[in-house]
Amino acid sequence: MSSAAEQETAGAFRRVARPEPGAAPGRRERIAPPPVWPGAPNPLGARFRTGPDGRSGTNFALWAGGAEAVELCLFEEDGTETRCPLTEQTHEIWHGFLPGVLPGRRYGYRVHGRWDPWTGARWNPAKLLLDPYARAVDGDFADFGRPPEVYGHVRDWPQQQVADTVRDDRDSAPYVPKGVVVHDEAGAAEHDEWLDDRRPKTPWADTVLYELHVRGFTQRHPGVPAELRGTYAGLAHPAALDHLRRLGVTAVELLPVHQFAHEDHLLRRGLRNHWGYNSIGYFAPHAGYAATGTAGQQVGEFRRMVHALHEAGIEVILDVVYNHTAEAGEFGPTLSLKGIDNRGYYRLEGDPRRYADYTGCGNTLHVVQPQVLRLLTDSLRYWVTEMGVDGFRFDLAAALARSFHDVDMLSPFLAVIAQDPVLRRVKLIAEPWDIGAGGYQVGAFPPLWTEWNDRYRDAVRDFWRGALPDVRDLGYRLSGSSDLYAWSGRRPQASVNFVTAHDGFTLRDLVSYESKHNEANGEGNRDGTDDNRSWNCGTEGESADPEITALRRRQLRNLLTTLLLSTGVPMLVAGDEMGRTQHGNNNAYCQDNETGWVDWTVLEDPHWRELFALTARLIALRHRHPVLRRRAFFSGRAQDADGLRDLAWFTARGTEMTEQDWYAPTGSLGMYLSGGEIPGRDERGERVTDESFLVVLHAGAGPLDFVLPGAPWARRYEVVVDTSREEQSAAPGTVHKGNAMVTVRPRSVLLLKVAS
């Protein structure tokens, strides 16, 4: 039962003067209620429109299953709160239309109901709740640290065994951000021109992904004006776009831009969540990345950023965190869903006080529930149709594919995506695992989906550090991972090939550190993976030894060249192309500082400029040659009139590899890619042909004498890339005859083009 005070609150309109944080509670005054018309239950959220009598106002609709009452709370600039009961209810959606409520108005909800954590019920009207459908958020969840008022339970209750069961009746409104009413149609005519017809629409096979952080990429960029650094507008600035264009990437994969909150344990240590994998608003661009203001302006700023990237020919893919929210477990704060309907939104354990945690973040959204499924798919469609994005990378996607317990590739979430006319047309990338039992699902996602391929990452790292026992796994990874994806009818584009990601060492750190150095995170260096598969080239950390630094740069060239010559979709991480370092921190999620930001001063060093130039050259080579970005798996059979197979593997003796060779310990491999007949047709329906290439990878510590395959494979070869050279300008053009022996320098890649 709700208290008498709560019942009285639910039935009357009130205006409450808000005190400053830490001050005594303000005086409540009853005034005459404003008009609250019935409104409509759809669409959910706050939607500004014209009412039945022609007056402008906002329709508010909130799904709150099981709630006893819902109050809409409107806020003035000085913090004064006006509470308006929503008395209309349709299919558990509470709704009402308020004339005169215009864009820019800040708002939230108070939801009434039972407080009974023992059954999973955690309603507490003292807590102001963020609308899950809020299009913009004003404020930051770290503005006041994390005070006890934002918790639904008494946080410092002395009896720990029931610490989460005693309700805290202190008001949280002064300490939490508010939703903002947004004019959805503002600028719609402008954006209709480019949202679809002017999207780049880059085919998967032609895609080169570039994972970046909006703030981290622009915060130290010297060409971006200081007032725009760290923002959406900063990423849209010509200086930032110029780097992406010169590099040649076709899509940016943005680390989370949904409104997120900072974890309490970080705030207590004076840190903040930098990566943003702690979402709380699935429709709102994170307010902290807005240069133009947070009273709704961030929506337009985000749209203009997408527009600018599209104009540069670059797609925008969002890294989205729909598997959990910032409300954590039973001891976490009450910010939104937990106070709206805890049992409806979250997976609970057999003991309903506890949360099922397949994410390692305290909770897991219950995607099997229709209202949760609607929230996520409505959010996805919104970002595509109204914000212009081109696809999504789903964090811990296996958690979304769970039915009631097990991962199920026929789960409701995957089924809805497959039939949705909007979502099935955009790029869909799965991080194909979670931390629960049976959560590792690399290769298991259905068609339409592309996956982060950590099998590729591990094989390439192991090869170049000299830890791969044989080259069987490497052969599969270089040629598109057909062992993982061909069985289900998928194509090489199902594999997102990567050597590094935001989570782990940077590429430079991968060749400079063998152990993580996360002391700055304040967790005793216990956080972050210990399975780095890295090699420091003989010295831990930075070195002044010219031999070690030269070897490290060569290893960087090897890793980047391997990645960009492999079949599949390559993904680079911002800064890796110019030697960015995090000084051995392999879990910089809380380093919103120089550690987590891209350092652009490295380009003052000619060595790192050369690395950038090589990376851009390799990407351009990939764009120019369809044999390097095949749309179908290799068959291993003859494809042209000369009887050459589309793919052949060679030993250093210049002979094709036998079954025994695949199992033998070796640090070298030759891969021949035939361009004689490439499956598929071009846009005119013509057959696709290309030049042929030989790639020689040598991870050994000494030089390798490699015999180049002769006729019918080639009569002559021309060197295109030699990673043993610091300056690539000296490498191209050298010609070798077929059957000639060439010396491949230690730890290097030789790319040769078949010459007539």
Side-chain angles (χ1 to χ4, degrees):
M1 288 288 292
S2 57
S3 67
E6 290 170 20
Q7 294 173 1
E8 184 269 341
T9 299
F13 167 84
R14 294 174 301 153
R15 174 165 292 158
V16 182
R18 280 290 145 234
E20 292 297 320
R27 179 172 58 90
R28 296 182 175 181
E29 299 177 358
R30 185 186 302 275
I31 63 173
V36 181
W37 299 346
N42 290 299
L44 292 171
R47 303 300 290 268
F48 176 72
R49 63 179 177 82
T50 301
D53 67 346
R55 296 174 62 188
S56 295
T58 301
N59 191 84
F60 294 89
L62 176 74
W63 183 90
E68 297 174 4
V70 172
E71 288 179 301
L72 168 68
C73 305
L74 303 175
F75 290 86
E76 307 296 336
E77 289 295 326
D78 63 0
T80 299
E81 175 184 352
T82 301
R83 300 184 186 178
C84 308
L86 299 181
T87 58
E88 297 293 328
Q89 185 182 173
T90 304
H91 304 308
E92 298 186 311
I93 297 173
W94 301 75
H95 53 89
F97 178 84
L98 276 73
V101 173
L102 306 179
R105 177 62 70 91
R106 299 153 71 237
Y107 74 100
Y109 289 104
R110 298 181 186 273
V111 181
H112 300 252
R114 293 184 305 112
W115 173 264
D116 184 13
W118 302 97
T119 63
R122 291 181 178 268
W123 285 286
N124 184 345
K127 308 307 166 185
L128 186 75
L129 306 174
L130 183 67
D131 179 5
Y133 279 74
R135 303 297 178 93
V137 175
D138 182 38
D140 192 322
F141 284 94
D143 280 349
F144 307 108
R146 184 61 64 77
E149 286 85 351
V150 304
Y151 292 81
H153 61 282
V154 178
R155 192 174 171 204
D156 53 356
W157 192 256
Q159 294 177 276
Q160 287 300 311
Q161 64 271 25
V162 292
D164 67 305
T165 65
V166 181
R167 195 177 76 174
D168 188 316
D169 290 328
R170 288 174 289 187
D171 186 9
S172 69
Y175 308 98
V176 294
K178 283 75 177 175
V180 180
V181 176
V182 172
H183 191 352
D184 294 312
E185 297 181 359
E190 169 193 347
H191 297 295
D192 282 346
E193 297 178 1
W194 58 268
L195 277 180
D196 189 60
D197 290 344
R198 295 175 68 179
R199 292 175 185 266
K201 297 181 181 179
T202 307
W204 259 127
D206 302 338
T207 297
V208 177
L209 297 169
Y210 189 74
E211 188 191 47
L212 68 81
H213 187 285
V214 169
R215 178 169 166 81
F217 185 73
T218 61
Q219 186 64 28
R220 302 180 69 185
H221 197 302
V224 175
E227 67 273 14
L228 300 183
R229 293 175 187 171
T231 69
Y232 307 118
L235 183 54
H237 190 272
L241 295 175
D242 180 63
H243 181 85
L244 300 175
R245 275 192 294 249
R246 289 190 297 118
L247 186 58
V249 296
T250 68
V252 290
E253 184 176 302
L254 304 182
L255 267 67
V257 296
H258 288 163
Q259 185 70 40
F260 64 86
H262 305 276
E263 295 90 332
D264 182 64
H265 68 91
L266 292 178
L267 297 175
R268 290 200 304 268
R269 297 200 300 272
L271 299 170
R272 296 164 66 91
N273 188 312
H274 176 51
W275 288 347
Y277 289 91
N278 209 36
S279 299
I280 195 63
Y282 290 131
F283 289 78
H286 185 63
Y289 301 156
T292 52
T294 62
Q297 300 96 326
Q298 61 265 53
V299 177
E301 184 177 335
F302 186 93
R303 283 173 169 158
R304 289 189 292 274
M305 176 197 73
V306 173
H307 191 179
L309 286 161
H310 283 179
E311 289 289 297
I314 298 169
E315 293 184 303
V316 179
I317 295 173
L318 304 187
D319 194 334
V320 290
V321 189
Y322 292 121
N323 54 76
H324 76 281
T325 75
E327 293 185 298
E330 59 270 22
F331 297 108
T334 297
L335 306 174
S336 182
L337 305 181
K338 186 180 287 187
I340 295 171
D341 185 359
N342 184 57
R343 295 176 297 188
Y345 280 108
Y346 293 113
R347 291 179 182 265
L348 303 181
E349 296 280 13
D351 174 2
R353 284 176 60 196
R354 313 299 181 204
Y355 293 78
D357 185 7
Y358 296 112
T359 66
C361 300
N363 66 55
T364 306
L365 280 174
H366 202 350
V367 182
V368 174
Q369 296 281 12
Q371 69 278 1
V372 181
L373 193 59
R374 178 181 179 182
L375 171 67
L376 303 194
T377 53
D378 282 353
S379 168
L380 291 166
R381 281 189 294 269
Y382 170 74
W383 288 96
V384 174
T385 60
E386 299 191 43
M387 301 295 268
V389 307
D390 305 285
F392 306 93
R393 179 264 187 188
F394 293 82
D395 180 66
L396 299 181
L400 299 173
R402 290 183 182 272
S403 290
F404 286 96
H405 298 289
D406 296 334
V407 178
D408 178 6
M409 292 305 158
L410 298 176
S411 67
F413 180 77
L414 296 181
V416 166
I417 295 291
Q419 61 78 43
D420 189 284
V422 171
L423 302 180
R424 69 189 182 201
R425 294 188 292 114
V426 302
K427 287 183 165 68
L428 303 171
I429 306 171
E431 184 183 35
W433 52 76
D434 64 22
I435 69 166
Y440 186 76
Q441 294 289 325
V442 172
F445 274 72
L448 290 183
W449 288 82
T450 290
E451 299 175 12
W452 271 25
N453 186 353
D454 66 334
R455 293 275 300 274
Y456 179 94
R457 175 199 65 195
D458 293 348
V460 171
R461 287 187 180 191
D462 282 346
F463 177 77
W464 285 112
R465 70 187 180 108
L468 204 62
D470 53 56
V471 290
R472 287 174 296 159
D473 200 36
L474 181 67
Y476 275 120
R477 305 309 143 230
L478 295 174
S479 58
S481 297
S482 60
D483 58 328
L484 298 177
Y485 304 111
W487 66 272
S488 60
R490 298 160 79 189
R491 298 195 172 193
Q493 297 77 46
S495 177
V496 171
N497 299 332
F498 66 102
V499 178
T500 58
H502 66 275
D503 190 359
F505 281 148
T506 66
L507 202 66
R508 179 174 168 183
D509 289 355
L510 191 68
V511 301
S512 304
Y513 296 88
E514 291 193 8
S515 301
K516 64 188 181 185
H517 296 270
N518 299 353
E519 291 80 7
N521 295 357
E523 300 176 40
N525 206 32
R526 295 183 300 273
D527 62 304
T529 183
D530 293 312
D531 183 19
N532 295 294
R533 301 175 188 244
S534 58
W535 178 48
N536 63 18
C537 297
T539 298
E540 187 73 357
E542 295 298 311
S543 173
D545 186 325
E547 291 188 7
I548 289 178
T549 55
L551 174 57
R552 288 175 175 175
R553 290 193 299 271
R554 186 158 73 249
Q555 287 288 78
L556 292 183
R557 295 194 292 273
N558 292 336
L559 291 163
L560 286 167
T561 302
T562 303
L563 174 65
L564 291 167
L565 296 181
S566 297
T567 300
V569 180
M571 183 183 78
L572 299 166
V573 177
D576 276 354
E577 73 279 11
M578 52 189 184
R580 175 176 171 253
T581 178
Q582 292 178 170
H583 307 291
N585 191 320
N586 75 349
N587 190 34
Y589 79 104
C590 57
Q591 296 299 318
D592 188 8
N593 49 43
E594 285 80 1
T595 297
W597 303 336
V598 173
D599 179 9
W600 295 90
T601 64
V602 295
L603 287 176
E604 298 170 6
D605 186 326
H607 293 305
W608 301 126
R609 289 200 300 272
E610 284 289 340
L611 185 67
F612 174 86
L614 173 62
T615 308
R617 184 163 165 256
L618 287 164
I619 293 174
L621 190 74
R622 185 181 182 90
H623 289 324
R624 196 161 56 247
H625 291 285
V627 73
L628 300 177
R629 44 185 173 83
R630 288 172 57 98
R631 286 163 165 75
F633 287 113
F634 296 96
S635 69
R637 297 187 296 272
Q639 298 290 309
D640 60 18
D642 294 329
L644 296 182
R645 290 186 296 281
D646 55 2
L647 175 68
W649 304 95
F650 289 90
T651 68
R653 301 184 301 274
T655 59
E656 289 191 67
M657 292 184 67
T658 65
E659 186 74 12
Q660 185 177 0
D661 291 327
W662 283 109
Y663 286 85
T666 180
S668 63
L669 182 66
M671 179 175 65
Y672 185 96
L673 305 170
S674 173
E677 179 76 31
I678 300 172
R681 294 289 184 265
D682 63 18
E683 60 272 11
R684 295 176 177 270
E686 303 291 335
R687 63 191 289 264
V688 178
T689 60
D690 194 10
E691 296 175 290
S692 299
F693 292 89
L694 176 67
V695 184
V696 180
L697 301 99
H698 175 48
L704 172 72
D705 290 331
F706 192 96
V707 177
L708 300 176
W713 303 100
R715 292 193 299 271
R716 294 191 307 162
Y717 294 90
E718 179 183 336
V719 175
V720 179
V721 172
D722 181 354
T723 64
S724 69
R725 299 176 180 271
E726 189 82 58
E727 296 184 10
Q728 288 298 303
S729 58
T734 304
V735 176
H736 300 280
K737 292 182 179 180
N739 292 319
M741 180 182 291
V742 298
T743 298
V744 183
R745 296 179 183 179
R747 298 190 175 96
S748 65
V749 179
L750 198 60
L751 174 65
L752 305 107
K753 181 176 64 176
V754 172
S756 58

